[in-house]
């Protein structure tokens, strides 16, 4: 996979990065979104494909992206298709930090050391390639404003941005309400993006224990209230 194109996990993280504070919006759900974004990117690269509500490896050949290839190898080792909610809800230790460090190495962000309350060390990340962030945001804005079906990459990015709760970060206040609604509606334009976005929301809602049944075409099936899986939810919330 050539590095001339930014991956969806990278773009999702850049969307979440607050230029004023140097922190990421929705950090807990963002970790789930990054795991889902890896699945979408691998699908776009032809390495995996949806199999109902499961993910199957169809080509184990590495992409050339170390972080994506690590995820691909883990999926391959499963030996059989894995449910998207189980993959996304599993432990993802340091995934957000891995991508922040990667963006820093690529020169798209730079780390700024600081302290909290004058004692605790902190690290903020400021975007250095602001044109890249503007381009990503412009693609979403265009899809929302024009109503023209976006390309699969933009549709998947929009679906994940909605799933992790970035709508209020990107389009705040009452004036952004209609844009947030249209952002949510873009989820229907990419099947793989819709699958993983729904899985991200299901993990957050604790509905990962039971598979979906007979989903309506183009729509989201109703979630079945289930007790959250304490282990995986605790691990997901901790990062």
């Amino acid at each position: 996979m050539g590095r001339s194109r930014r991956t969806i996990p990278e773009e999702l993280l850049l969307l979440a990065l607050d230029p004023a504070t140097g922190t990421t919006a929705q950090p807990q759900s963002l970790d789930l979104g990054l795991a889902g974004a890896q699945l979408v990117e691998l699908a776009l690269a032809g390495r995996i494909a949806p199999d109902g509500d499961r993910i199957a490896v169809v080509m184990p050949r590495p992409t050339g992206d170390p972080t994506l290839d690590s995820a691909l190898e883990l999926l391959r080792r499963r030996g059989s298709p894995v449910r998207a909610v189980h993959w996304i809800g599993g432990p993802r230790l340091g995934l957000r930090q891995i991508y922040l460090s990667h963006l820093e190495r690529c020169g798209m962000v730079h780390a700024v050391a600081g302290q909290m309350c004058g004692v605790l060390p902190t690290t903020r990340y400021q975007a250095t390639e602001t044109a890249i962030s503007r381009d990503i945001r412009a693609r979403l804005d265009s899809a929302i404003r024009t109503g023209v079906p976006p390309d699969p990459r933009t549709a998947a990015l929009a679906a994940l941005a909605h799933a992790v709760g970035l709508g209020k970060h990107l389009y705040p206040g009452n004036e952004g309400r209609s844009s947030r609604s249209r952002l949510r509606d873009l989820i229907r334009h990419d099947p793989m993006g819709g699958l993983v976005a729904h899985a991200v929301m299901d993990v957050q809602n604790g509905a990962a224990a039971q598979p979906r049944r007979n989903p309506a075409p183009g729509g989201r099936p109703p979630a079945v209230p289930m007790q959250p899986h304490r282990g995986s939810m605790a691990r997901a919330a901790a990062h």
Side-chain angles (χ1 to χ4, degrees):
M1 176 181 295
R3 294 303 301 143
S4 60
R5 171 180 288 175
R6 296 176 301 276
T7 65
I8 293 177
E10 293 167 4
E11 293 192 329
L12 182 66
L13 187 51
L14 286 171
L15 272 181
L17 193 62
D18 190 315
T21 64
T23 60
T24 52
Q26 303 294 331
Q28 294 181 359
S29 58
L30 182 60
D31 285 350
L32 302 177
L34 289 172
Q38 287 184 316
L39 294 180
V40 176
E41 192 65 48
L42 287 170
L44 289 171
R47 283 4 184 229
I48 65 174
D51 181 4
D53 66 346
R54 296 175 182 267
I55 303 298
V57 175
V58 295
M59 184 191 297
R61 180 167 56 86
T63 66
D65 181 302
T67 309
L68 290 175
D69 289 340
S70 176
L72 179 61
E73 177 62 14
L74 288 174
L75 286 166
R76 186 192 67 79
R77 289 179 184 175
R78 294 291 184 95
S80 60
V82 58
R83 288 186 64 208
V85 287
H86 289 166
W87 173 261
I88 291 168
R92 293 292 175 269
L93 297 177
L95 189 57
R96 181 161 29 104
Q97 186 58 50
I98 287 172
Y99 273 106
L100 282 169
S101 298
H102 168 73
L103 291 177
E104 185 179 16
R105 289 193 300 272
C106 293
M108 285 189 274
V109 303
H110 70 276
V112 179
Q115 289 184 329
M116 180 182 296
C117 302
V119 178
L120 299 175
T122 62
T123 303
R124 296 180 295 111
Y125 290 87
Q126 299 288 347
T128 53
E129 295 288 344
T130 55
I132 293 176
S133 296
R134 288 197 300 269
D135 172 70
I136 298 169
R137 177 63 182 272
R139 283 164 42 212
L140 284 188
D141 290 346
S142 176
I144 287 173
R145 183 179 63 254
T146 64
V148 176
D151 62 275
R153 183 170 293 272
T154 301
L157 180 62
L160 286 162
H162 166 70
V164 302
L166 290 183
K168 290 185 178 180
H169 168 69
L170 299 171
Y171 306 103
N174 289 333
E175 64 275 14
R177 184 178 300 172
S178 61
S179 292
R180 293 195 299 270
S181 177
R182 288 193 289 271
L183 180 70
R184 178 196 63 217
D185 291 343
L186 290 175
I187 201 169
R188 69 182 186 273
H189 289 295
D190 179 63
M192 186 65 181
L195 170 65
V196 298
H198 286 150
V200 167
M201 290 185 283
D202 282 349
V203 172
Q204 294 179 82
N205 293 332
Q210 181 165 319
R212 295 177 179 275
R213 296 179 179 176
N214 301 324
R220 179 172 184 181
V224 178
M226 299 293 292
Q227 184 68 24
H229 188 292
R230 295 181 182 276
S232 61
M233 290 296 290
R235 287 191 297 269
H239 300 284

